[in-house]
Amino acid sequence: MKEKDMKFGTKAIHAGVAPDEATGAIMTPIYQTSTYVQDGVGNHKGYAYSRSKNPTRDALEKNIAAIENGKFGACFGSGMAAIDCVLKMFKPGDEIISTNDLYGGSFRIFKTVFENYGLKFHFVDMQDAANIQNYINENTKLIWVESPTNPMMNIIDIEACARIAKNHNALLAVDNTFATPYLQNPLDLGADIVMHSVTKYLGGHSDVVMGALVSNDEAIAKEIYRIQNSSGAVTAPMDSFLALRGIKTLHLRMQRHCENGRKVAQFLKSHPKVDKVYWPGFEDHPNHEVAKSQMRDFGGMISFSIVGNQLEDAFAFLKKTNVFALAESLGGVESLMGHPATMTHAAIPKEEREKSGVVDSLIRLSVGIEDAEDLVADLAQALR
Ligand SMILES: *Cc1c(COP(=O)(O)O)cnc(C)c1O
């Protein structure tokens, strides 16, 4: 069966991987080697040096490309290294239009690293994609989208952004970390580049830090590989193996994340001590219709605020849970919670952060794949 004809779960398990030719090992071996012997100068088996190419990483890159319906995948030492690679495709004077409600680390690399190299960034509320038009000029080279956004769970219309990007000869890159390729495939919606923090749902077990880029365009992929090999922020063979293993259950995990997410979101919405609940599966979520059209389900990421909006109440809640653990990160099998204002989004100035809804009592949940009854009971006692 050809990879492109496979359904998602089959691809997640089989795409890019084949039994080892030397031994028949069914799992991709961890090729823990930096270099490869050559029969004569330049005469090797396709692998010359592991920064450029490594068989374990190779399998993973093909696998991630396949589950995103892309042709070319590239893996990096972290999600931030993947973003760094995208930004290095541009030159001083180039302008980038980004979502305003954005992963804190992305905001930080934009503002404190690449602004120093002459790139110019605009942060725009893209819930109405037409807002992008106000910032477009002849220097606009990239539109950077995150959907659902972190932590406000806003949904951005990826197809609408792709149309605007195409009309102005700019590229569209989508950070698909929250949705995962199980729920959303930005390349199918017109994006040029998909970015993942593999650290989160793809790895899925909170044991690896890794990033990935996927594209369908050969010229873009060539640029990505040039920068990946030149800058050298590649992922290690052992980590590539762990990510490959994680992805084999992505579809099963996502089904449970979505199921549990729905139960937790509904519980929170009905609780008197909870003020607002942000989850795109609610019919009254402002972008629910867009979410329905571009996602297959709504995921396990939920943010909520506590009535009265006091920092102390948020801190007290975060101390009281037994199953949900207070930690940075998301997307693992275990349920995690975070406090965006002081954790992931501390790099964003308070004024800017509150404008997009990141208030002091806001708590972000990454609902894991434990039993939903236990998760709801844990939240209930902590709220009490
Ligand atoms: C975690 C995260 C990143 C950064 O990825 P790292 O693997 O931590 O470097 C980027 N975007 C989003 C949405 C994330 O959640």
Side-chain angles (χ1 to χ4, degrees):
M1 184 184 262
K2 284 198 185 120
E3 265 171 25
K4 68 173 180 42
D5 299 325
M6 291 177 181
K7 299 241 181 336
F8 189 90
T10 314
K11 265 202 255 189
I13 294 167
H14 292 287
V17 306
D20 182 45
E21 277 182 28
T23 63
I26 195 146
M27 285 299 122
T28 308
I30 302 161
Y31 284 93
Q32 194 71 48
T33 186
S34 61
T35 191
Y36 309 80
V37 74
Q38 307 190 4
D39 283 346
V41 175
N43 191 11
H44 54 69
K45 299 183 160 74
Y47 299 93
Y49 186 60
S50 278
R51 171 163 32 74
S52 314
K53 214 170 165 202
N54 172 280
T56 318
R57 191 177 94 217
D58 226 22
L60 174 65
E61 290 176 336
K62 291 197 170 86
N63 180 265
I64 293 182
I67 58 175
E68 271 296 8
N69 299 336
K71 290 200 191 104
F72 309 100
C75 287
F76 297 84
S78 68
M80 292 319 303
I83 296 175
D84 179 85
C85 173
V86 173
L87 296 170
K88 283 174 177 161
M89 292 168 65
F90 302 98
K91 296 195 173 61
D94 288 350
E95 298 191 15
I96 293 162
I97 304 175
S98 162
T99 4
N100 63 346
D101 179 17
L102 178 74
Y103 178 69
S106 306
F107 182 81
R108 182 172 51 205
I109 197 173
F110 291 173
K111 290 297 285 183
T112 72
V113 179
F114 280 91
E115 233 171 51
N116 293 339
Y117 290 87
L119 296 186
K120 190 169 171 192
F121 295 90
H122 305 277
F123 297 92
V124 179
D125 181 351
M126 294 188 184
Q127 286 176 84
D128 180 1
N131 289 340
I132 297 170
Q133 301 278 8
N134 303 330
Y135 296 86
I136 295 228
N137 61 44
E138 68 278 9
N139 298 323
T140 307
K141 294 288 155 59
L142 176 71
I143 298 175
W144 183 270
V145 166
E146 223 180 279
S147 184
T149 65
N150 178 15
M152 297 315 298
M153 305 306 297
N154 292 321
I155 303 294
I156 291 161
D157 186 337
I158 295 170
E159 260 180 334
C161 293
R163 273 196 300 275
I164 294 170
K166 292 239 150 43
N167 283 342
H168 296 89
N169 284 323
L171 298 181
L172 174 67
V174 176
D175 180 339
N176 204 28
T177 301
F178 268 40
T180 82
Y182 177 77
L183 295 179
Q184 172 174 285
N185 299 113
L187 297 177
D188 294 344
L189 299 165
D192 301 286
I193 300 171
V194 178
M195 174 261 155
H196 278 284
S197 170
V198 179
T199 315
K200 316 297 169 52
Y201 286 104
L202 297 190
H205 295 73
S206 305
D207 52 11
V208 161
V209 172
M210 189 188 293
L213 298 176
V214 180
S215 175
N216 259 326
D217 182 292
E218 197 164 355
I220 292 172
K222 249 178 131 168
E223 274 296 277
I224 290 173
Y225 292 133
R226 178 181 67 80
I227 296 163
Q228 182 195 38
N229 185 40
S230 303
S231 293
V234 293
T235 181
M238 177 72 196
D239 287 0
S240 301
F241 173 85
L242 286 171
L244 266 172
R245 183 163 83 162
I247 291 170
K248 288 181 199 297
T249 55
L250 178 63
H251 52 305
L252 297 179
R253 287 185 284 110
M254 287 311 294
Q255 282 163 20
R256 182 65 88 89
H257 281 298
C258 292
E259 219 175 281
N260 286 358
R262 177 171 279 109
K263 287 180 184 157
V264 166
Q266 279 162 352
F267 161 76
L268 289 170
K269 199 167 189 171
S270 67
H271 198 285
K273 286 196 181 147
V274 172
D275 185 9
K276 298 202 168 79
V277 186
Y278 302 95
W279 182 65
F282 288 134
E283 276 177 24
D284 61 358
H285 181 287
N287 324 113
H288 179 68
E289 287 308 313
V290 181
K292 258 192 358 197
S293 73
Q294 70 188 18
M295 298 171 75
R296 293 180 192 93
D297 203 341
F298 306 105
M301 294 304 300
I302 301 166
S303 293
F304 71 98
S305 59
I306 298 173
V307 166
N309 212 7
Q310 297 300 306
L311 188 67
E312 309 83 81
D313 289 343
F315 281 12
F317 174 90
L318 294 167
K319 276 209 173 115
K320 283 269 192 297
T321 55
N322 301 313
V323 182
F324 279 86
L326 177 62
E328 306 261 6
S329 201
L330 60 106
V333 289
E334 69 292 321
S335 289
L336 296 179
M337 55 185 182
H339 185 248
T342 57
M343 294 168 72
T344 44
H345 289 60
I348 301 179
K350 185 177 164 82
E351 207 175 286
E352 213 146 332
R353 138 164 92 63
E354 292 201 333
K355 258 195 277 176
S356 55
V358 185
V359 295
D360 282 350
S361 79
L362 191 79
I363 290 166
R364 189 193 76 183
L365 302 179
S366 168
V367 178
I369 63 171
E370 301 96 334
D371 289 284
E373 293 72 17
D374 292 337
L375 298 180
V376 167
D378 190 38
L379 297 172
Q381 64 79 27
L383 282 165
R384 209 161 39 237

